[in-house]
Amino acid sequence: MAEVAKEYLSFLIDEDEYGVHILDVKEVRGWSEVRSLPNTASYMLGVLELRGEYIPIVDLRQRLGMTAAVLNNTTVVVIVKNEREQSLGIIVDAVAEVYQLTSEQIKSAPGYVKIDQKLIDGIASVNGRHVVLIHLEQLFDFQELHNVAQPDLSET
């Protein structure tokens, strides 16, 4: 029996292509201003209210140790979720493709790659490009970001 391919949404940061499992993606939207929050990690830009939910918005570039994103009308926010349905918005330069990948196409990152190995699920070679597949729950603490993003209603 042939292995069923899984779909991944890929996006660009600079000239590099990254991807996340398509089932982790809630929506893709253009940039809109967010409300900043004090005393948060440098990569946390703030929160965006979306259909009554406050969603933390993070700069994936900064989280990966790169320079901060330039936010403008071409900036894209990919809203992702974890298995507990907690949402998070990641800032990327552009959405690229949806790829169908089998486990055979996904290889472990070589040991000399600068990124922490637990942060990625692997690297896939697609059409001559290398797509780094991000492990969102290792890269971001969804629970912590969710707690910071939710207003403390007990003080009202």
Side-chain angles (χ1 to χ4, degrees), residues 21-78:
H21 194 279
I22 196 90
L23 294 179
D24 293 337
V25 177
K26 286 178 77 169
E27 68 180 270
V28 176
R29 52 186 294 124
W31 172 250
S32 58
E33 290 299 315
V34 298
R35 179 168 188 222
S36 62
L37 297 173
N39 301 317
T40 56
S42 62
Y43 59 82
M44 183 160 171
L45 301 180
V47 294
L48 176 69
E49 184 187 5
L50 187 62
R51 293 183 283 283
E53 177 185 6
Y54 286 100
I55 299 174
I57 305 298
V58 296
D59 184 348
L60 185 57
R61 285 172 172 268
Q62 287 187 57
R63 179 61 182 96
L64 294 174
M66 301 174 190
T67 59
V70 176
L71 304 173
N72 56 41
N73 62 353
T74 63
T75 302
V76 178
V77 180
V78 179

Side-chain angles (χ1 to χ4, degrees), residues 14 55 59 85 94 149 153:
D14 283 333
I55 299 174
D59 184 348
E85 297 296 317
L153 300 177

Side-chain angles (χ1 to χ4, degrees), residues 91-138:
I91 302 295
V92 301
D93 293 342
V95 171
E97 298 283 339
V98 174
Y99 296 119
Q100 292 193 3
L101 302 172
T102 64
S103 59
E104 286 181 359
Q105 291 174 282
I106 301 170
K107 308 296 182 203
S108 297
Y112 59 83
V113 172
K114 290 186 224 177
I115 193 167
D116 187 339
Q117 298 295 308
K118 71 181 181 183
L119 302 181
I120 62 173
D121 287 330
I123 300 175
S125 179
V126 183
N127 302 328
R129 295 184 57 90
H130 300 285
V131 181
V132 177
L133 303 176
I134 296 173
H135 189 148
L136 289 169
E137 295 214 38
Q138 289 292 330

